[in-house]
Structure formats: C-alpha cells, structure tokens
Amino acid sequence: MAEGTDRYSPADVTRRTADAPSTVQPNRRWWDADADDYHAEHGGFLGVADFVWSPENLREQDARLLGDVDGLRVLEVGCGSAMCSRWLATRGARPVAFDISAGMLRHAQRGAAQTGIDVPLVQADAEHLPFADASFDLAFTAFGAVAFVADSARVMREVARVLRPGARWVFATTHPTRWAFPDDPGPGGLTATMSYFDRTPYVELDAEGVPTYVEHHRTFGDRVREIAAAGFRLLDVVEPEWPAGHSQEWGQWSPLRGALLPGTAIYVCELS
C-alpha cells in the first residue's frame, strides 16, 4: 500500500469466524496502512536498534530471555521495523527478519539506513515460512504474528521446523486473560465483559462489512498444548509487572491496568 495511506477506522467491531485467507489478507492491508502512524506513535519508545519485549518496558538487555546470541543465526518472526534484530546484530548475532507487511518492512529499510545495521529482510506469512529445515539457532518475536494468524499451532510447527535441536523459541503476546476485558486503558478496562473461553476471533469491519483487522485468542492451556505438540519444552512464562515510574500508555496498556492485571505473556521454549 502506498506510503502515507490513512489508518483504518473500523465502522463496526464483531466476533466471527475467520480462516487463514480471511485473516491474512485484512491484517496485511491493515499493517501496511498503519505502518507510518504506528511508528510515529511508538517509534520513540521502540527505538531503531533496541529490543523492547512489551509495553511494560521490559528490555532484552535486562531480561536476557534469549541468552548469549553471539554467533547465532537468529530468526525474528513478525519483525515490524526489525529494531530488535538490529539490536541483536550489535551483540554478535546473525539475524534474519521477516514480516507479512511491506509497509513495516519499508520502515525496517529506513532503520537500516539510519543505523548502518543491515539485517536481511523477507516478506512472508508466519504460517508458511520460506526457510530451510534446521537453519536457525534461535527464533523470537515481540508481539509479532502469533495472535494475527488463524492457525497459531501451525506457526509453532513451522518455527520448530526451521530451528536446530535444542534451539530456543521465545515469543511475547497479549496476556490471554486480557481477552475477557475491554480494550480500555481506563477504569472501563477493569471489568470483565467477555468469556475468557470464547475463542471466536475479534474482527474489525469497514463500512461495507469487509474485515480490516483480525485477532485470534488462545487460552493459556491452548498455548501450552500448541507449544508441546510442536516439539518444544516450555521453560518459563514471564508476566512482566508494570514498573514504578513508567507512565506511558500503549493502547489498552496503562499504569492503572498494569497495577492490577497482567498485560503480556512471554513464553520461553526450547526445541527437544
């Protein structure tokens, strides 16, 4: 989509089924359209060569969830503008970053030009990775892809396929308990209004009823079973607490909600 395309404003929001094509196509269009606004709003927080795991401001330099990356061939899943991969490159990693959105990858190219850190970029769907078996030593994503595909279990299998035995897979998503609460950073977001067990996708529609954005929910149990079925061992689940003094809101994330409810879940896995 052309640079400067206006952000989608949904005419309606609903819950309805969405298969792979009816998930991938609107999400690609949405991220293409939103890329400029997204970086205008969040680019300062994310940086151009920094690694922020979540709106709680958890950074990899402090958390060290990936371990020592020096010399490792690393895959970033759903990379956005690939700032995390550029940060890893400064630590000796050899990253490859992919995203479904050309708009996001355009910002990744800008980041490379700005920093002089050139990370290989690929446009791809996380359910169909264009990489050889056992070709990476580590894979990760900070809120990329997993919630924006119809079949996240397939993503787990694809990531497992391209990793070498013993490799680590670390991914951050919205904490599953948040599904029961409205996307409201204020007091309205503190009361559960939906069933945590309802996996019906969240879908935004335009004025013609065409989906413009789709997000899928899995419970904690669903996610653990997907991880295990793909051949991973779950080593840890990190639920970052809202840090004192951190006042920046990000969508539904806020100091008010962060003091009471977990907002992010980071799954640390290792391939058997």
Side-chain angles (χ1 to χ4, degrees):
M1 197 165 286
E3 184 170 340
T5 302
D6 290 337
R7 176 181 292 198
Y8 282 114
S9 296
D12 193 16
V13 173
T14 187
R15 297 288 186 92
R16 72 185 205 187
T17 59
D19 60 10
S22 59
T23 297
V24 169
Q25 293 168 10
N27 281 347
R28 180 188 290 117
R29 292 194 301 267
W30 194 90
W31 287 109
D32 283 349
D34 194 59
D36 292 343
D37 288 334
Y38 178 88
H39 285 89
E41 183 176 359
H42 301 299
F45 178 74
L46 294 172
V48 290
D50 201 353
F51 195 139
V52 185
W53 276 110
S54 69
E56 292 88 356
N57 201 26
L58 180 68
R59 281 174 150 72
E60 175 59 15
Q61 67 180 9
D62 302 315
R64 296 192 55 81
L65 301 181
L66 302 183
D68 183 6
V69 300
D70 187 26
L72 298 187
R73 184 168 166 81
V74 181
L75 179 65
E76 181 172 8
V77 175
C79 66
S81 58
M83 59 281 176
C84 297
S85 283
R86 285 191 292 275
W87 184 86
L88 289 173
T90 68
R91 267 64 183 173
R94 296 181 292 126
V96 174
F98 81 87
D99 200 280
I100 198 169
S101 166
M104 285 292 182
L105 293 175
R106 186 180 69 247
H107 280 271
Q109 291 174 323
R110 290 179 182 173
Q114 182 177 345
T115 61
I117 305 170
D118 192 12
V119 171
L121 302 172
V122 178
Q123 185 173 14
D125 178 353
E127 293 181 86
H128 306 277
L129 298 185
F131 305 109
D133 295 358
S135 54
F136 292 96
D137 305 302
L138 173 69
F140 76 94
T141 186
F143 279 84
V146 174
F148 306 108
V149 298
D151 189 355
S152 54
R154 182 184 178 107
V155 174
M156 302 296 156
R157 295 194 301 272
E158 278 290 273
V159 171
R161 179 182 64 78
V162 303
L163 286 177
R164 298 187 176 99
R168 185 166 285 200
W169 161 227
V170 185
F171 63 98
T173 68
T174 301
H175 198 284
T177 59
R178 284 288 180 99
W179 191 255
F181 296 83
D183 285 348
D184 183 342
L190 300 179
T191 302
T193 59
M194 297 163 283
S195 171
Y196 167 79
F197 301 101
D198 184 358
R199 282 91 161 171
T200 308
Y202 167 92
V203 182
E204 295 181 358
L205 307 170
D206 65 16
E208 285 72 45
V210 177
T212 59
Y213 176 91
V214 182
E215 191 166 342
H216 292 260
H217 167 61
R218 298 293 181 267
T219 67
F220 253 128
D222 294 336
R223 194 68 75 203
V224 170
R225 285 185 287 275
E226 289 181 351
I227 289 167
F232 290 103
R233 293 187 299 118
L234 182 61
L235 303 180
D236 196 6
V237 177
V238 178
E239 299 166 290
E241 295 186 39
W242 195 271
H246 180 42
S247 60
Q248 183 169 345
E249 292 187 0
W250 180 314
Q252 60 169 288
W253 281 264
S254 67
L256 174 66
R257 298 188 81 195
L260 300 172
L261 296 169
T264 299
I266 307 173
Y267 303 81
V268 182
C269 314
E270 185 177 85
L271 188 62
S272 300

